[in-house]
Amino acid sequence: MEHVVAETPRLTESAGAVFAVLAQAGSATRPQLASLAGLSKPTVSAAVAELEGARLATHSGTASGGTGRSAAVYGLGPASGSVIAVDLGPARTRVRGCALDGTLLVEADTPRIRAADAVREALAALPAGAPLRAIVVAIGDVTASDLAGTGMRPATAKAGPVFDAVSVALPPGVPVHLENNVNCAALAELHEGAARGRRTFGYLRIGVGIGLGIVIGGQVLRGANGAAGELARLPYPWDDDREPRQEALEAYVGSHALLRRAAEAWQDTDGPCPRTAEQLFALAAEGREPARSLVARHAADVGRLAAAVAAVLDPGLIVLGGSTGADPQLLPGVRSELGRLSWPTEVVSSQIGDLGTVVGAARLAVAKGVQNVTEGAQVKD
Amino acid sequence: MEHVVAETPRLTESAGAVFAVLAQAGSATRPQLASLAGLSKPTVSAAVAELEGARLATHSGTASGGTGRSAAVYGLGPASGSVIAVDLGPARTRVRGCALDGTLLVEADTPRIRAADAVREALAALPAGAPLRAIVVAIGDVTASDLAGTGMRPATAKAGPVFDAVSVALPPGVPVHLENNVNCAALAELHEGAARGRRTFGYLRIGVGIGLGIVIGGQVLRGANGAAGELARLPYPWDDDREPRQEALEAYVGSHALLRRAAEAWQDTDGPCPRTAEQLFALAAEGREPARSLVARHAADVGRLAAAVAAVLDPGLIVLGGSTGADPQLLPGVRSELGRLSWPTEVVSSQIGDLGTVVGAARLAVAKGVQNVTEGAQVKD
DNA sequence: TGAACTTCGTTAGGAAGTTAACTAACGAAG
DNA sequence: CTTCGTTAGTTAACTTCCTAACGAAGTTCA
C-alpha cells in the first residue's frame, strides 16, 4: 500500500488558517470558523470553497439549532490525511494513528519485540490514498537535534537501538519527529488531562526514573541539548560537607529506592513484603505500617523535587505522574513539603496515566500534520 | 513641567512596524527599513511619510556610501518621546532616561535616600513637550501581577516601602512596570552583554542573595507568582537523612557565607582577614592561601547551583554575575563542577556588572515605549 | 566629459482581505 | 398563513500591501 506524500496545491494564507481551526474544532459552521480564525465571513467563504476544492474539507451536515437560518457544517475532507504516533516504552510499544482532527483511526499495544510489525500493521490500516503527514516517535531519552538532510532525528545512545529497530518500518519521505516521552505525556495532560486550559505547568513523572516535562505558553521546553527537565542530574546529595554524585538523585527517589526501603522495613516484620509499588500503595491505603510511613516519606521526597522545580520555574501547577508519582495518596505530603519550602503551587495527580505518552505524541503529530497542510511543504521544526 | 501622554493618531500597521524597526536600528534608510521590516519599498515610503507627518520620524541626512543613488537616512522624530528606568538597589538608586532608540538622555546614581528627588530631576531633564511613554522600576523582590485599573503594580512586602517612596515622584497617567532586578540584568546581558545573539540562557547572580534570570526565546520567564529563578528556595541541605530548611541555600552560598568562612580560615593564620569579596578575590588571584582554596570551594558551590539550573532548564549558556559571581577566577571551577554533574553548558562571566539592572530596565522600558507608539494605546503588559 | 552601471524612490496594476449592505432561509407569534 | 426577527451567506466598494516597471540621482571608467 502506498502512502502518497502531500502534493497538496499551496493554500492561501486564509485557507490555511481556516483549515487549522477546522482541524482543531473537528467540525464547524462558517460563522464559527470566522470567529475562531479571526477572519471575515467573505474570506471564510472563499477559504472553505478552496478547501472543498482540494478535498481538504467537506460539507458534513447542517446545524439546525436555534433561531434563524441554519448553517452548513463542515468537517475535514478525505485529502487531509493522517498522522501516526509511536511510544517506544521500556516494556510495551504503543501505536496510534489519527486524523488531523485528532480522531483515533488505529490503535495498537504490543510487547516491545513486535514494535516494527505493529507499526507496519498500523500504517496498513490507515486510509489509503490520503497522505501520511507526520510521524512522532516518543522515546525515554534526551532527543538530539535535527540531522541535516533527511529530516529524521537520531536518538542518543540510551534509546538508539530501539529506535533503529522501528525506523525500518517507517515509510520514507514522511517527516519523523523524535520526542522525549515525558514531554509527550506533559502535552497529553495539557490538552486532555489535569492541565487543561493552562498555559504553563510542569509534569513531574516519578517511576523507575524521574523526569519533568515543562510547558511554557503552551509549548514544550526542550532545552539546548534537548535535556530540559532531566531532573536526574539535580545535584544530590547536597550539603555543606557532601559531594553531589552524578545521577544519584534518581537512585534515591525513584521507585527502585522505594521498593528497596520496603524490603529493608519488612525484614523486621512478618508478613509478605510488597513486590511492586502498587502493592505498597494498596497496603498504605489500608493504613498498614510500615507501608504508610514509607509512602509518607516518599511523598516528602517528591515534594522536595517539586520544590526544586518551583524554585527555578515557579510554574503555578505541577502534575504528578508515573508509576509511583500518580497515586493521589501522595498529594497531601507533597503539598505540605512543597508549601513549606517554596512558592504557592497547585499540585494534582495525572488524569491520563500510562497512555499519556502516546496520546501526547499523537497530539504533537496532529499539530505537525496540520502545519504540513497549512504551510504547503514538509515541516522542518 | 508637563509630560503629555501620547495622543498619537493611530498608526497603520505597516507604519507601526517601520517605527519599531527604526527605533531598534536608531537610524536607517528606506531600503534598510524595507528589508528589516519585511515590507516592500512602496509600503515603506508610505509608512515613512506617515511617520514624518506625525513627527515620529525625521529625515536626518543622506547615506553616500557605495555606488548608485544615495539614500535618505531617517531617525526618530521629536514626537517619539522618551522612557525612564529606575533601579532601586539596596544601597544606591540608579535612574536612566532614554529615547525610544535606546540613546541615553539622562543618568543619575544616588544613595537610596535621595531616590525620589533623583527621579524628579531626571523627569525634569527629559525633553519637554514629547510624551513619556513608559516607566520601569527594578526591585530586588518578586513582582506581583497587575493591579487592575491603575496599570501600576505594587511590590510585595520586601521592597514595598522603597517602591512607595519613589512612586510619589512618578507622573500620573504613564504606565508603570515593576520588574525583578535580576531579570533586568539578564535582559542587559541579552542585548548588550555576554548573551548577545542568544535566544535562551540563564543569568545566575551570586551576591548577598542568589537569583536567576531566565530568558527563553528572547523573553524573560516570570513564573506564576513572578518568582521564577528565585533559587534561594531550592531544597537545601538535601540528603537521605537531612531535612531541607527554607532559604538555607542563600545563607550557604551567598557572599555572607563566603566572608564568614574567610573569617574562620584566617583565625588560624596571621595577616589581615579580607573584609570584602573583592579583597578575597584579589588575594586569591595572587595565589595566596587560604584565599585560593576558599575561592575554589565557592566556585564548586556555584557550579552545583548552575547544575541545578541546567538539570531543570538545559539553557545552553549560563552567565555569572553579582558581587561574588562575576569574577572570572570562578570560571574553571564552575565549569568543571557543572560539567561533572550536568549537561554541556557554556559558562561565561557577566560583561556589564553593576549597571546591568538599570541598563536592562531601560531596555525593557524602551520596548514598552515602542509598543505604546505602535499599538496606539497604553500597553497593559 | 559623457556613457554605462547601480541603487533609490515613485507610479501603476493586481491580489487578498475587510466592512457594509443586501438577499436568503428558518422559527415563532399573531 | 402571513409577518417579523434572527441568522447565514453573497455581493460590492474600499483598504492595504505586493510586484513590476520606470524615472531619478548618484558613481565609475574610458
Side-chain angles (χ1 to χ4, degrees):
Chain A
M1 186 165 312
E2 240 350 69
H3 282 283
V4 185
V5 178
E7 73 285 324
T8 316
R10 200 96 185 69
L11 293 178
T12 63
E13 200 176 328
S14 60
V18 169
F19 182 85
V21 162
L22 181 57
Q24 182 134 45
S27 71
T29 66
R30 275 190 272 205
Q32 286 169 345
L33 292 172
S35 137
L36 289 169
L39 294 170
S40 67
K41 290 192 290 176
T43 306
V44 170
S45 283
V48 168
E50 187 180 342
L51 293 174
E52 271 193 293
R55 303 175 59 77
L56 288 168
T58 45
H59 183 107
S60 69
T62 50
S64 60
T67 148
R69 179 172 172 178
S70 36
V73 177
Y74 293 88
L76 291 188
S80 54
S82 53
V83 298
I84 201 159
V86 184
D87 168 17
L88 294 178
R92 302 195 68 80
T93 291
R94 296 193 175 88
V95 184
R96 281 198 162 203
C98 289
L100 293 193
D101 58 2
T103 54
L104 186 60
L105 301 175
V106 198
E107 195 174 19
D109 183 339
T110 68
R112 194 172 84 178
I113 205 75
R114 282 204 65 250
D117 288 332
V119 169
R120 264 187 281 263
E121 289 164 20
L123 287 168
L126 287 177
L132 180 66
R133 303 205 110 104
I135 301 170
V136 169
V137 181
I139 56 174
D141 194 0
V142 166
T143 58
S145 49
D146 241 327
L147 201 80
T150 70
M152 289 178 44
R153 299 162 143 218
T156 54
K158 203 172 1 171
V162 199
F163 175 69
D164 292 339
V166 170
S167 63
V168 298
L170 300 179
V174 181
V176 176
H177 180 89
L178 268 187
E179 184 56 83
N180 178 274
N181 55 0
V182 180
N183 288 349
C184 288
L187 281 174
E189 296 292 343
L190 173 67
H191 286 112
E192 40 204 275
R196 240 169 314 186
R198 293 283 179 149
R199 304 200 38 76
T200 299
F201 75 103
Y203 170 77
L204 181 56
R205 170 178 279 188
I206 318 284
V208 174
I210 58 181
L212 175 73
I214 303 169
V215 174
I216 293 176
Q219 293 278 308
V220 169
L221 182 73
R222 296 199 170 81
N225 303 288
E230 292 289 318
L231 300 186
R233 300 217 175 165
L234 278 172
Y236 180 90
W238 197 6
D239 196 359
D240 213 335
D241 51 1
R242 303 206 181 170
E243 283 254 306
R245 300 183 306 275
Q246 194 176 4
E247 313 240 326
L249 184 58
E250 202 158 71
Y252 163 64
V253 80
S255 62
H256 285 333
L258 185 60
L259 292 175
R260 180 169 40 72
R261 265 180 241 129
E264 284 166 17
W266 255 269
Q267 279 188 329
D268 311 335
T269 61
D270 43 346
C273 172
R275 305 209 146 269
T276 67
E278 288 82 50
Q279 290 172 12
L280 181 66
F281 279 104
L283 289 172
E286 296 168 16
R288 299 271 202 86
E289 290 297 351
R292 226 187 49 79
S293 33
L294 283 169
V295 167
R297 187 249 171 91
H298 186 61
D301 287 335
V302 173
R304 286 163 200 175
L305 205 52
V309 172
V312 176
L313 288 175
D314 184 21
L317 169 69
I318 291 181
V319 178
L320 297 179
S323 59
T324 72
D327 197 296
Q329 286 184 74
L330 290 179
L331 289 177
V334 173
R335 285 178 182 145
S336 91
E337 187 70 359
L338 175 58
R340 185 175 75 84
L341 293 171
S342 195
W343 304 99
T345 306
E346 223 175 303
V347 181
V348 300
S349 296
S350 160
Q351 291 182 356
I352 301 198
D354 286 348
L355 258 68
T357 301
V358 228
V359 169
R363 281 279 178 181
L364 199 56
V366 164
K368 299 262 168 203
V370 170
Q371 259 184 46
N372 179 309
V373 174
T374 58
E375 294 174 11
Q378 293 187 357
V379 185
K380 300 251 167 62
D381 181 339
Chain B
M1 187 168 311
E2 250 334 84
H3 284 282
V4 185
V5 178
E7 73 281 325
T8 316
R10 202 97 185 68
L11 293 178
T12 63
E13 201 177 326
S14 61
V18 169
F19 182 84
V21 162
L22 181 58
Q24 182 133 44
S27 71
T29 67
R30 272 188 275 206
Q32 287 170 343
L33 292 172
S35 137
L36 290 169
L39 294 170
S40 68
K41 289 193 291 177
T43 306
V44 169
S45 282
V48 167
E50 186 179 343
L51 293 175
E52 271 194 291
R55 301 177 61 76
L56 288 168
T58 45
H59 183 106
S60 69
T62 51
S64 59
T67 153
R69 178 173 173 180
S70 35
V73 177
Y74 293 87
L76 292 188
S80 54
S82 53
V83 299
I84 203 159
V86 183
D87 167 18
L88 295 178
R92 302 196 68 80
T93 291
R94 295 192 176 87
V95 183
R96 280 196 162 203
C98 289
L100 293 193
D101 58 2
T103 54
L104 187 59
L105 301 175
V106 198
E107 195 173 19
D109 183 339
T110 67
R112 192 171 86 180
I113 203 78
R114 280 204 68 248
D117 288 332
V119 169
R120 263 187 281 262
E121 287 164 22
L123 287 168
L126 288 177
L132 180 67
R133 302 204 111 105
I135 301 170
V136 169
V137 180
I139 56 173
D141 194 0
V142 165
T143 58
S145 50
D146 241 326
L147 202 81
T150 69
M152 290 179 42
R153 300 162 141 216
T156 54
K158 207 175 355 173
V162 197
F163 175 70
D164 291 340
V166 170
S167 65
V168 298
L170 300 178
V174 180
V176 176
H177 180 89
L178 268 188
E179 185 56 84
N180 178 274
N181 54 0
V182 179
N183 288 349
C184 288
L187 281 174
E189 296 291 342
L190 173 68
H191 286 113
E192 41 204 274
R196 239 169 314 187
R198 293 284 181 147
R199 302 199 39 77
T200 299
F201 75 102
Y203 170 78
L204 182 54
R205 170 177 279 187
I206 319 282
V208 173
I210 58 181
L212 175 75
I214 302 169
V215 174
I216 293 176
Q219 293 277 309
V220 169
L221 181 73
R222 297 200 169 80
N225 303 288
E230 293 288 320
L231 300 186
R233 300 218 176 165
L234 278 173
Y236 181 90
W238 198 6
D239 196 358
D240 212 335
D241 52 0
R242 305 208 180 169
E243 283 254 306
R245 300 184 306 276
Q246 194 175 9
E247 312 241 326
L249 184 59
E250 202 158 71
Y252 163 64
V253 81
S255 62
H256 285 333
L258 185 61
L259 292 174
R260 180 170 40 72
R261 266 179 239 129
E264 284 166 16
W266 255 268
Q267 278 188 333
D268 310 335
T269 62
D270 44 348
C273 171
R275 305 210 147 268
T276 68
E278 289 83 49
Q279 291 173 12
L280 180 66
F281 279 103
L283 290 171
E286 296 168 16
R288 301 271 201 87
E289 291 295 352
R292 226 186 50 77
S293 33
L294 283 170
V295 167
R297 187 253 171 89
H298 186 61
D301 287 335
V302 173
R304 286 162 199 175
L305 205 51
V309 172
V312 176
L313 287 175
D314 185 22
L317 169 68
I318 291 180
V319 178
L320 298 179
S323 59
T324 73
D327 197 294
Q329 286 183 74
L330 290 179
L331 288 178
V334 173
R335 284 177 181 145
S336 90
E337 186 72 359
L338 176 57
R340 184 174 78 83
L341 293 172
S342 195
W343 306 98
T345 305
E346 222 174 303
V347 181
V348 300
S349 296
S350 161
Q351 290 181 357
I352 301 200
D354 286 348
L355 258 67
T357 302
V358 228
V359 169
R363 281 281 178 180
L364 200 57
V366 165
K368 298 261 167 205
V370 169
Q371 260 184 46
N372 179 307
V373 174
T374 58
E375 294 175 12
Q378 294 188 356
V379 184
K380 299 250 166 60
D381 182 346

